[in-house]
Amino acid sequence: MLFAYMFVDVMSPLQSLIQKQRGWSPDAFGYYAGAEYILNVFGFLILAGIILDKMGVRFTGTLSASLMVAGALIKLYAISELFQGTALELWLNSWWTEMPGSAKLAALGFMIFGCGCEMAGITVSKALAKWFEGKEMALAMGLEMAIARIGVFFIFTISPRLADSVVPASVVVPVAFCSALLCIGLLAYIVFTFMDAKLDREMGANKVAEAESDEEFKLSDVGSIFKSKLFWIIAMLCVLYYSAIFPFQRYAANMLQCNLGISETQASDIFRWFPVGAAALTPLLGYYLDRKGKGASMLILGAILMIVCHLTFAFVVPATKSELITYSAIVVLGISFSLVPAALWPSVPKIMDKRFLGSAYSLIFWVQNIGLAFVPILIGKVITWSNPGVTDPMQYDYTLPMCCFASLGVLALIFGIILKAMNTVHHYGLEDPNIKEDFEDVRIDGEA
């Protein structure tokens, strides 16, 4: 997951460079960024959840890592010199001229990578739920998320430097580097499959049989999940919050370039601190959730902090040009990004029967992917619309795009408040600790 997160954002600090080298406009960059999630939105992620519940974490994880590697290699070819001037590029350039051929093929590779990445996300969540059931589940998930988010710090640090390591600067070098890391990630997951098989043997034949019975999945369970009001509240909270975070990462470096008048390397060096606060705090918050609870309250606080940060980027940073305020907003946004996921993902096993836990995760991710697919496209169009006639990628006005991100945070806050109110009335256990003797799980089976 560390290497997957690095590949996701390898191009984020290079928006201005790819525009200069390959002619990708903000619209084209937005289409490329949203492409990661398109196939997931149109059904693959639901299929991935069914595969996970039917085939288990070992098969599904290996498949997902393989898809990531395949998609990465297609994207690498699309932006490389090998693709330039080929018959394929000429054909791709001949239709829908708003998007260059290199961007179209890179988007296709990113789509395939995105299928593997999101499938890996639900697989990892289910694997951790299996290994840490009744134990420090939130801490385990928090540590996994922290390690993955360190990848964002790494890539914002090294991507522009790798691009500048050759003359002239090239986007190919950082993408090739991250593609190689994904191959290592595939090998790492294969090692895990042997560990997981060993765990099943240690559980004993009877316990394995019992687990398989518990995990028996029926297609009708998808309908049961969709009927759950609580599922939809959590899914909407998830899509709104994450749509104001991950698409923002795509544009953050260029936003800082424009607002502060700095280079892409300097902008990346500032924004790279965003995931560090999240990485440091998420395991601690997981530890706190395991023992003290207050998950629903954390969701609300995280949404409030995110709103404040995006409004700061919209109005305060452009007016003051203050790096101190910018750093502060980025660190606080990282704190927000630790509060919400640390509380959100361990809450799902509390409200969903573990028989279709994989499908529940996949359906939440599916709803999330709808936002992640279309919000980058929307932001790209908002940038173009609010900057008529501007072609210099260093001169864009990001006030309106940042207000769009803040409005998503407001909607996420509303759903967080609704979720806490429902938990108060129905006692789902979202404010309860994960580790508690004589604790009786409250699960819903399609009813809320």
Side-chain angles (χ1 to χ4, degrees):
M1 295 309 294
L2 166 68
F3 298 148
Y5 269 54
M6 291 180 68
F7 190 86
V8 165
D9 277 311
V10 66
M11 298 272 281
S12 296
L14 307 175
Q15 181 187 348
S16 58
L17 181 61
I18 196 71
Q19 180 170 341
K20 294 173 184 176
Q21 287 191 341
R22 298 290 185 263
W24 293 20
S25 67
D27 279 354
F29 190 82
Y31 284 121
Y32 150 79
E36 179 188 357
Y37 310 101
I38 290 295
L39 292 180
N40 291 319
V41 169
F42 289 103
F44 180 82
L45 196 48
I46 297 176
L47 176 63
I50 296 173
I51 293 172
L52 175 56
D53 283 328
K54 284 288 188 181
M55 304 299 294
V57 297
R58 296 193 288 273
F59 172 85
T60 311
T62 304
L63 174 61
S64 66
S66 300
L67 287 172
M68 284 193 281
V69 171
L73 294 178
I74 294 174
K75 175 177 165 181
L76 175 61
Y77 173 67
I79 64 170
S80 71
E81 297 296 333
L82 295 175
F83 177 69
Q84 306 303 309
T86 62
L88 178 58
E89 184 191 25
L90 295 176
W91 177 73
L92 290 173
N93 282 332
S94 66
W95 51 274
W96 191 25
T97 55
E98 183 181 1
M99 196 171 183
S102 59
K104 291 170 187 169
L105 187 59
L108 174 63
F110 212 21
M111 276 190 242
I112 296 171
F113 166 85
C115 290
C117 188
E118 295 302 301
M119 178 185 274
I122 62 173
T123 303
V124 166
S125 295
K126 186 168 183 178
L128 290 173
K130 171 185 175 181
W131 277 63
F132 293 92
E133 182 179 9
K135 303 180 179 68
E136 297 85 353
M137 186 190 304
L139 175 59
M141 290 185 174
L143 286 169
E144 181 270 322
M145 285 187 282
I147 293 170
R149 284 177 192 151
I150 287 295
V152 181
F153 174 84
F154 287 157
I155 204 58
F156 271 85
T157 301
I158 66 176
S159 184
R161 289 174 170 83
L162 287 173
D164 292 336
S165 66
V166 295
V167 180
S170 173
V171 296
V172 175
V173 178
V175 174
F177 175 75
C178 289
S179 298
L181 292 181
L182 284 174
C183 294
I184 298 174
L186 171 59
L187 295 176
Y189 197 88
I190 291 172
V191 171
F192 166 76
T193 62
F194 289 101
M195 298 171 63
D196 192 67
K198 181 181 178 182
L199 174 66
D200 283 351
R201 290 194 297 270
E202 291 175 351
M203 288 171 62
N206 291 335
K207 289 186 177 180
V208 172
E210 179 183 346
E212 289 175 350
S213 176
D214 288 339
E215 294 294 321
E216 184 180 353
F217 173 82
K218 301 185 297 293
L219 191 59
S220 60
D221 289 334
V222 173
S224 298
I225 297 171
F226 275 135
K227 291 177 183 177
S228 168
K229 295 178 182 177
L230 196 57
F231 162 81
W232 280 109
I233 292 172
I234 288 181
M236 292 305 298
L237 172 61
C238 176
V239 66
L240 291 166
Y241 182 84
Y242 276 86
S243 292
I245 292 291
F246 288 136
F248 169 67
Q249 288 180 196
R250 304 288 195 278
Y251 293 98
N254 187 244
M255 180 271 294
L256 295 177
Q257 283 182 266
C258 296
N259 284 345
L260 299 177
I262 56 180
S263 70
E264 60 190 18
T265 301
Q266 291 172 309
S268 298
D269 284 347
I270 293 175
F271 186 73
R272 65 181 177 175
W273 294 101
F274 159 66
V276 173
L281 285 176
T282 300
L284 298 177
L285 291 171
Y287 181 88
Y288 181 86
L289 280 165
D290 284 329
R291 287 157 178 80
K292 302 295 183 179
K294 305 299 180 185
S297 299
M298 285 188 183
L299 295 173
I300 293 174
L301 177 59
I304 292 173
L305 292 179
M306 183 180 68
I307 296 166
V308 172
C309 291
H310 283 322
L311 291 177
T312 300
F313 290 130
F315 299 106
V316 181
V317 172
T320 62
K321 307 291 185 182
S322 170
E323 289 194 9
L324 177 61
I325 293 175
T326 304
Y327 273 111
S328 300
I330 287 170
V331 171
V332 173
L333 187 63
I335 294 172
S336 167
F337 196 38
S338 62
L339 284 166
V340 173
L344 181 66
W345 300 118
S347 298
V348 178
K350 293 183 177 181
I351 65 167
M352 288 292 163
D353 192 294
K354 66 181 180 180
R355 183 179 75 253
F356 46 73
L357 184 57
S359 294
Y361 273 123
S362 74
L363 291 172
I364 292 174
F365 273 56
W366 175 68
V367 176
Q368 172 186 312
N369 272 235
I370 295 174
L372 297 182
F374 294 106
V375 168
I377 297 172
L378 171 65
I379 296 300
K381 290 190 174 297
V382 169
I383 293 173
T384 301
W385 178 79
S386 60
N387 292 273
V390 178
T391 58
D392 184 352
M394 293 288 291
Q395 300 298 322
Y396 293 130
D397 181 354
Y398 271 87
T399 302
L400 189 56
M402 296 313 303
C403 288
C404 291
F405 286 129
S407 65
L408 293 173
V410 172
L411 294 174
L413 173 62
I414 293 172
F415 278 100
I417 294 171
I418 294 172
L419 180 63
K420 185 173 181 179
M422 289 187 65
N423 181 72
T424 301
V425 174
H426 299 288
H427 307 291
Y428 297 119
L430 300 180
E431 291 280 89
D432 296 333
N434 293 321
I435 301 175
K436 185 175 180 181
E437 293 184 7
D438 301 324
F439 176 73
E440 182 179 353
D441 284 335
V442 179
R443 302 185 187 274
I444 60 172
D445 221 338
E447 305 251 341

